[in-house]
Amino acid sequence: MKRIQTLFFLAFLLGLFSINDLVAQYGYGSPYGYGSRYGRQRNMVPQAGPTESKKDETPPTADEIVDDQMPSITEALGLDPFEQAVVRTSLVQSVQQRIELQILQLEPLQMKEEIEKIERRQNEELKAGLPEDKYNAFLELQENRFNTKKVKKKKKKKD
């Protein structure tokens, strides 16, 4: 009799400890009801915490854009402080005007004409404020989109 009681007690404990695993296998914890035949399902709405919105980030201003480019321009052209000031003010004005054009969202042809006017004005200011060799170097740098690394051309091998 004592033996049967211990067997029942052990079976009860075994069942008590394994019920959690059985429920998880069968699907009682499923949000879709009694048992899903298609395996583990996902909630339709993710339960993520609050995220930072990217709309709060403001686009860079004209001063910030020019400040990022100025060290490479100064290094590539070897500008003195006066020439740096001339280049910086001209670039800030032209970048600010381009930002304003983007906000206006003009038609493509009208936008192209306005950008050409801005470029002409910028080039005239720089030509008046910089020596000829530095002005030409700036135009070259502007064509390379302010990359100071020189582009190496690959030579073709002769057969």
Side-chain angles (χ1 to χ4, degrees), residues 60-74:
T61 62
D63 288 327
E64 293 171 351
I65 293 171
V66 172
D67 287 339
D68 288 343
Q69 293 178 348
M70 276 308 291
S72 62
I73 294 171
T74 304

Side-chain angles (χ1 to χ4, degrees), residues 96-106 110-111 113-115 118:
Q96 181 63 40
Q97 289 175 351
R98 287 181 181 144
I99 291 172
E100 291 169 359
L101 281 178
Q102 288 176 350
I103 292 171
L104 291 176
Q105 296 178 347
L106 301 174
Q110 200 175 15
M111 179 79 83
E113 290 173 5
E114 293 297 322
I115 288 177
I118 293 170

Side-chain angles (χ1 to χ4, degrees), residues 7-159:
L7 273 174
F8 279 127
F9 181 71
L10 289 176
F12 176 73
L13 284 178
L14 180 65
L16 187 64
F17 289 129
S18 63
I19 193 75
N20 202 17
D21 292 334
L22 293 174
V23 167
Q25 289 293 322
Y26 194 66
Y28 283 107
S30 172
Y32 297 106
Y34 179 63
S36 176
R37 296 181 184 189
Y38 304 110
R40 181 172 171 251
Q41 300 288 324
R42 296 194 182 268
N43 288 340
M44 297 305 272
V45 178
Q47 301 295 324
T51 58
E52 296 177 22
S53 66
K54 294 184 179 178
K55 293 180 181 177
D56 293 342
E57 297 176 12
T58 57
T61 62
D63 288 327
E64 293 171 351
I65 293 171
V66 172
D67 287 339
D68 288 343
Q69 293 178 348
M70 276 308 291
S72 62
I73 294 171
T74 304
E75 181 182 329
L77 302 179
L79 301 176
D80 63 23
F82 174 74
E83 294 168 342
Q84 285 179 11
V86 169
V87 170
R88 186 178 188 294
T89 55
S90 176
L91 288 178
V92 168
Q93 287 176 355
S94 62
V95 169
Q96 181 63 40
Q97 289 175 351
R98 287 181 181 144
I99 291 172
E100 291 169 359
L101 281 178
Q102 288 176 350
I103 292 171
L104 291 176
Q105 296 178 347
L106 301 174
E107 295 177 11
L109 291 175
Q110 200 175 15
M111 179 79 83
K112 185 177 179 182
E113 290 173 5
E114 293 297 322
I115 288 177
E116 288 174 356
K117 286 180 187 177
I118 293 170
E119 286 177 359
R120 272 187 261 130
R121 185 201 49 81
Q122 174 188 340
N123 288 339
E124 288 172 5
E125 287 179 5
L126 290 174
K127 192 170 189 177
L130 291 177
E132 187 69 29
D133 58 336
K134 291 185 181 181
Y135 172 71
N136 292 333
F138 178 81
L139 291 180
E140 242 178 78
L141 191 64
Q142 192 175 16
E143 287 176 9
N144 295 333
R145 298 189 183 260
F146 298 104
N147 287 338
T148 56
K149 298 176 183 176
K150 293 182 179 177
V151 180
K152 295 181 180 178
K153 296 181 181 178
K154 294 181 181 180
K155 296 181 181 178
K156 294 181 181 178
K157 293 182 181 179
K158 295 181 180 178
D159 290 329

